[in-house]
Amino acid sequence: MSPILDPETIVLITGANQGLGYECVKKLAAEQSNYRIIIGSRDIVKGQAAASNVTKIANNTSIEAVQLDVISDESINAAVNLIESKYHRLDVLFNNAGIMFVTESTPRAEFRKILETNTIGATCVTEAFVPLLTKAGCPRLLFMSSGLGSLTLTTLPFSPYYGYDFKAYSTSKAAVNMIGLLYAKQLRKSGFKVNLVDPGFRQTNLNGFHNEGGDPAGGALEACRLITDASADGQHGSFAATEGPVPW
């Protein structure tokens, strides 16, 4: 089937009822017209509340929510079916949903829960939505990563990430980087733009609103730049922050 060319850009951001995903929704809503932004939220009530709040600042942009739990295949498939029935395609998928801390008392349980959400969840969501993305004129696929997932930055004493030891979270993001690269290689010939984003250390619910974190809005800049770049020669296969490329 030929790609669908339409003035409306349809964007799905997982885990976007709060945190950096929500910051991306707000920025896109305020700056972009003819966008339809879909907030993926595990709790649909929270997703709908977030959509209602953002609608107040929207610039000719439509905001809605869909129930989407990235660790549930049933929820993922239901979201795919809903978006396909309403819009027949998806222009942008941003795998943003993630967790950093859990209450599990053993390393095995901690690793299992964090990787299930951050890595396996993002992979399963991507697999499910690739057919709808293929129908877009310029499909964009983004993954929320982190400097904590950089092997290079983890080993450099002068790196801002050197002093942190979040084994499960860092491992999950290093794995996300590999997943993103594999999709970049797989989907390049289909016209996809696949990239990974390091938002920097931001003060959000993910890290308990750590007082050393920067302005959450700053964490949305690079992601939104990539979301809105529909050029044929746009960035592809990168791991980058607002300041520039991030070492793998």
Side-chain angles (χ1 to χ4, degrees), residues 95-224:
N95 285 296
N96 163 77
I99 56 175
M100 190 172 190
F101 302 113
V102 294
T103 58
E104 274 66 13
S105 58
T106 68
R108 185 181 301 277
E110 178 189 10
F111 266 74
R112 179 176 287 138
K113 188 165 186 177
I114 291 177
L115 267 75
E116 176 72 23
T117 300
N118 296 358
T119 310
I120 300 173
T123 304
C124 291
V125 169
T126 300
E127 282 293 308
F129 277 100
V130 161
L132 280 184
L133 286 163
T134 302
K135 298 177 182 179
C138 180
R140 280 93 82 194
L141 173 60
L142 278 73
F143 294 86
M144 181 66 87
S145 185
S146 167
L148 289 168
S150 165
L151 301 182
T152 300
L153 295 180
T154 298
T155 60
L156 296 177
F158 55 81
S159 162
Y161 297 102
Y162 183 75
Y164 294 96
D165 185 9
F166 304 113
K167 291 182 177 67
Y169 180 78
S170 295
T171 299
S172 75
K173 291 304 183 180
V176 164
N177 287 352
M178 176 58 78
I179 291 296
L181 279 176
L182 291 172
Y183 277 115
K185 182 174 68 172
Q186 171 191 337
L187 299 170
R188 178 189 295 272
K189 291 183 178 179
S190 298
F192 277 65
K193 303 303 175 188
V194 183
N195 294 286
L196 297 111
V197 178
D198 172 18
F201 186 34
R202 305 291 171 176
Q203 194 175 70
T204 68
N205 55 291
L206 181 76
N207 53 47
F209 299 96
H210 198 290
N211 57 16
E212 293 181 7
D215 181 3
L221 297 179
E222 178 66 4
C224 288

Side-chain angles (χ1 to χ4, degrees), residues 225-245:
R225 185 184 72 80
L226 292 168
I227 286 171
T228 57
D229 183 2
S231 58
D233 59 349
Q235 198 165 307
H236 177 74
S238 73
F239 179 23
T242 303
E243 298 76 15

